[in-house]
Amino acid sequence: RDSSQHSLFWWALKVVCGTLLIASLFLMTLYNVSGLIEFPQLLAQALVVSGGAMTLWHYRILKRHSERNLQEPNKLIESQGFFRWLRHPMYAGEFLTYTGLVLLAANEFAIGVLFNSYLALIKQARAEDQFLANRFGNSYARWKDRTGLLLPRF
């Protein structure tokens, strides 16, 4: 497969995983089923909300700087929002959101889906790294040296 098909596969998998996590939470709530562990709901909800906000905020940053569309960036965003420390803050936000959803509905199915969503997010981020490296060359290499994939590099 070429890199765009590879990237599309991981993007689709992470979307399916997110949908399954929401469905799992919905069904557990609908049928009043308890999770495997009791986790403070407020903290889990905070992860969902903060992860969603982080994803949307960085989407807006990218959209604001995109002349055509996000699939063909003409500028490498390195200094706004969490792009200062992370190459993929939108995926880091999804990581937080998915984790929060599982903590709200901790069951065997959701935990299995969570690990698949983590894999998909990491693979998608790496596929996009390759695209950005090809598109922006040395500027990307310098940015990569000082930032982390999904977690800040200290």
Side-chain angles (χ1 to χ4, degrees):
R1 292 191 294 209
D2 72 5
S3 63
S4 64
Q5 286 176 326
H6 183 74
S7 181
L8 182 60
F9 171 79
W10 294 113
W11 177 84
L13 181 59
K14 77 179 182 66
V15 169
V16 167
C17 287
T19 303
L20 290 172
L21 291 173
I22 292 168
S24 177
L25 175 61
F26 175 75
L27 290 172
M28 286 184 71
T29 303
L30 182 67
Y31 292 106
N32 199 26
V33 176
S34 297
L36 294 173
I37 58 169
E38 290 298 318
F39 196 82
Q41 268 200 336
L42 190 58
L43 183 56
Q45 291 167 340
L47 285 172
V48 172
V49 170
S50 61
M54 185 173 167
T55 300
L56 291 173
W57 176 34
H58 289 89
Y59 173 80
R60 291 202 47 174
I61 290 171
L62 288 176
K63 191 74 172 160
R64 187 172 50 237
H65 292 283
S66 176
E67 289 180 13
R68 288 181 287 197
N69 64 44
L70 296 179
Q71 283 72 39
E72 296 182 31
N74 54 0
K75 180 181 178 188
L76 186 62
I77 309 300
E78 306 172 55
S79 61
Q80 295 185 354
F82 290 121
F83 286 109
R84 292 177 190 97
W85 306 285
L86 303 173
R87 294 189 305 280
H88 302 281
M90 290 171 59
Y91 296 152
E94 289 181 69
F95 193 94
L96 293 174
T97 299
Y98 294 167
T99 302
L101 288 170
V102 168
L103 293 175
L104 287 170
N107 60 56
E108 295 91 348
F109 174 76
I111 292 168
V113 170
L114 180 65
F115 287 112
N116 283 302
S117 71
Y118 287 167
L119 174 67
L121 287 167
I122 291 167
K123 292 287 197 171
Q124 175 69 20
R126 287 183 179 159
E128 287 187 18
D129 267 2
Q130 185 61 51
F131 171 80
L132 293 171
N134 292 337
R135 185 146 181 120
F136 296 108
N138 289 335
S139 341
Y140 170 79
R142 286 189 299 275
W143 181 50
K144 182 180 179 185
D145 285 343
R146 68 176 191 274
T147 58
L149 186 71
L150 296 171
L151 296 172
R153 186 177 289 168
F154 296 103

